[in-house]
């Protein structure tokens, strides 16, 4: 079965950094597209960043220049490096692999 284990969330001050990790099992990792989503209270779930099999990446405009998505096909892990964090980045962040496999989410809170 597909399992996605997320880690790296927490509380950080504005301007700080976090790195989220999503370790995958039960899939052929290298042929799957990967993505990070987030959902803030009262908001719809938003696609933040994606990385495709060929290495191409996409980002929502609000995080461009601050966030970087990457993947390690040996460790079967996808990462989201989050720099210059803002309070509006506060949300539950979810890892998605392929079309329909989701992690449980990890809370990111940016507050002074």
């Amino acid at each position: 079965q597909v399992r996605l284990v997320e880690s790296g969330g927490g509380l950080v001050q504005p301007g700080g950094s976090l790195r989220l990790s999503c370790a995958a099992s039960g899939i052929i990792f290298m042929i799957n597209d990967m993505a990070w989503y987030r959902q803030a209270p009262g908001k719809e779930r938003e696609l933040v960043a994606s990385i495709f099999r060929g290495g191409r990446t996409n980002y929502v405009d609000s995080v461009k220049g601050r966030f970087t998505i990457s993947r390690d096909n040996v460790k079967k892990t996808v990462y989201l490096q989050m720099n210059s964090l803002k309070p509006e980045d506060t949300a539950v962040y979810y890892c998605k692999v392929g079309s329909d496999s989701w992690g449980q989410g990890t809370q990111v809170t940016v507050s002074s």
Side-chain angles (χ1 to χ4, degrees), residues 1-88:
Q1 65 185 50
V2 177
R3 295 193 64 183
L4 304 176
V5 180
E6 298 162 319
S7 62
L11 175 65
V12 66
Q13 295 183 354
S17 297
L18 289 172
R19 188 175 76 157
L20 306 183
S21 299
C22 175
S25 62
I27 61 169
I28 305 174
F29 187 85
M30 66 180 297
I31 67 171
N32 278 273
D33 301 328
M34 313 289 175
W36 287 96
Y37 288 71
R38 67 187 180 188
Q39 188 166 23
K43 302 293 185 180
E44 298 294 322
R45 189 169 296 186
E46 175 188 38
L47 175 61
V48 177
S50 55
I51 184 165
F52 301 94
R53 287 167 284 178
R56 180 174 61 88
T57 58
N58 285 333
Y59 300 92
V60 67
D61 285 345
S62 60
V63 309
K64 287 180 178 177
R66 300 189 297 119
F67 291 10
T68 302
I69 187 171
S70 61
R71 61 193 290 169
D72 186 327
N73 289 334
V74 175
K75 296 182 178 180
K76 296 185 177 182
T77 301
V78 60
Y79 304 95
L80 185 67
Q81 179 67 46
M82 309 164 66
N83 298 327
S84 301
L85 283 162
K86 304 175 180 179
E88 51 263 46

Side-chain angles (χ1 to χ4, degrees), residues 95-107:
C95 176
K96 191 181 84 168
V97 176
S99 62
D100 59 4
S101 297
W102 294 86
Q104 292 182 338
T106 183
Q107 177 71 48

